[in-house]
């Protein structure tokens, strides 16, 4: 009997040692998020998700909304929303979702005409987003019948009322399907436009833009500036945090991180946070040109 027990224990311990590395690797494994929609040369949304590289795709951008403006989506060169030409994107959205990839609508962006004049205005925009992109009903859904997974706040202008927008959108989760909320603040902490919204604690994902901001982006000569910013961001209440980076040197004025530096210096640090979620890349077009995601994919 003792010999049988010893044999059983030995086999069980051997199996445990075999699966231990896999269990450990999942504790800090991240995913890659990408922005799509601002360059027709990046290919279709269907092809984007068929690469298998990305777990979240942000469709950018709803670049006109708020303060009485008629909301308008801008998918530069992909389609013409004025003639309902973007409704065909629904096939790509549904393809991504069948693969378990979340698809969010990104509102705002670096250019555009948007902003919220009041909390009431924010509520009106939330109703529009619900009825035209999420689980509501409208006869003029710009992306057709597909129901997106949530809204990404890529806000670079426009007043203090985004907290009200976040609260109203979050309330829609009570109707059944969860409405995911994400944000793309600039790395200087706190963000000038998103601090109020992020202070609600309602955001599932925060991809901090560690580019075009020399004071807090990563450099090998001064890694502490990045680390200090990352620590500040991960101190707020949110689900997961991502290192936002340009996918090529051409994608931003500054902030490009050599893939080897990312793997050897950035990842070992950021993976120390239990809130680490992965990497956000801007954007699919530049990722195609550089192959950045393929170079880091095995290490994220």
């Amino acid at each position: 009997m003792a010999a049988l027990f010893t044999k059983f224990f030995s086999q069980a311990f051997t199996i445990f040692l075999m699966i231990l590395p896999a269990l450990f690797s999942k504790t800090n494994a991240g995913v890659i998020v990408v922005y799509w929609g601002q360059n027709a040369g990046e290919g279709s949304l269907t092809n984007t998700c068929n690469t298998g590289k990305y777990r979240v795709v942000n469709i950018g951008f709803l670049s006109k909304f708020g303060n009485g403006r008629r909301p308008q989506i801008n998918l530069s060169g992909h389609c013409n929303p004025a003639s309902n030409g973007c409704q065909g994107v629904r096939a790509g959205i549904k393809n991504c979702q069948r693969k378990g990839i979340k698809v969010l609508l990104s509102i705002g962006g670096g250019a555009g005409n948007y902003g919220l004049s009041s909390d009431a205005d924010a509520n009106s925009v939330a109703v529009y987003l619900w009825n035209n992109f999420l689980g509501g009903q409208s006869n003029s859904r710009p992306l057709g019948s597909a129901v997106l997974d949530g809204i990404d706040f890529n806000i670079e202008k426009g007043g203090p009322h985004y907290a009200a927008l976040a609260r109203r959108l979050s309330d829609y989760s009570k109707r059944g399907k969860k409405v995911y909320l994400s944000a793309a603040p600039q790395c200087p902490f706190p963000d000038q436009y998103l601090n109020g919204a992020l202070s609600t604690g309602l955001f599932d994902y925060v991809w901090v833009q560690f580019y075009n901001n020399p004071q807090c982006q990563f450099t090998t000569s001064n890694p502490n500036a990045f680390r200090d910013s990352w620590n500040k961001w991960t101190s707020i209440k949110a689900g997961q945090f991502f290192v936002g980076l340009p996918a090529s040197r051409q994608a931003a004025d500054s902030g490009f991180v050599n893939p080897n530096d990312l793997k050897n210096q950035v990842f070992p640090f950021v993976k120390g946070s239990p809130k680490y979620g992965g990497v956000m890349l801007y954007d699919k077009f530049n990722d195609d040109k550089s192959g950045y995601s393929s170079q880091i994919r095995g290490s994220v």
Side-chain angles (χ1 to χ4, degrees), residues 194-217:
L194 283 170
N195 185 50
L198 288 168
S199 295
T200 65
L202 296 172
F203 283 77
D204 302 284
Y205 310 122
V206 178
W207 14 85
V208 184
Q209 296 186 50
F210 288 103
Y211 52 95
N212 294 333
N213 290 287
Q215 66 269 44
C216 47
Q217 63 198 33

Side-chain angles (χ1 to χ4, degrees), residues 71 116 118-130 165 168 172:
L116 301 173
S118 65
D119 284 3
D121 188 25
N123 287 335
S124 296
V125 171
V127 171
Y128 171 82
L129 292 171
W130 171 254
L165 180 60
R168 184 63 185 272
Y172 283 121

Side-chain angles (χ1 to χ4, degrees), residues 24-76:
F24 179 78
S25 66
K26 291 181 180 179
T27 60
N28 61 357
V31 301
I32 299 176
V33 179
V34 75
Y35 278 83
W36 174 92
Q38 288 299 293
N39 195 306
E42 66 197 342
S44 69
L45 183 58
T46 294
N47 290 340
T48 296
C49 289
N50 285 349
T51 66
K53 297 177 180 178
Y54 317 111
R55 299 311 301 168
V56 181
V57 178
N58 294 320
I59 297 179
F61 294 98
L62 186 77
S63 58
K64 185 178 180 181
F65 64 85
N67 200 23
R69 306 174 186 91
R70 182 179 180 182
Q72 184 174 324
I73 193 169
N74 177 2
L75 299 182
S76 305

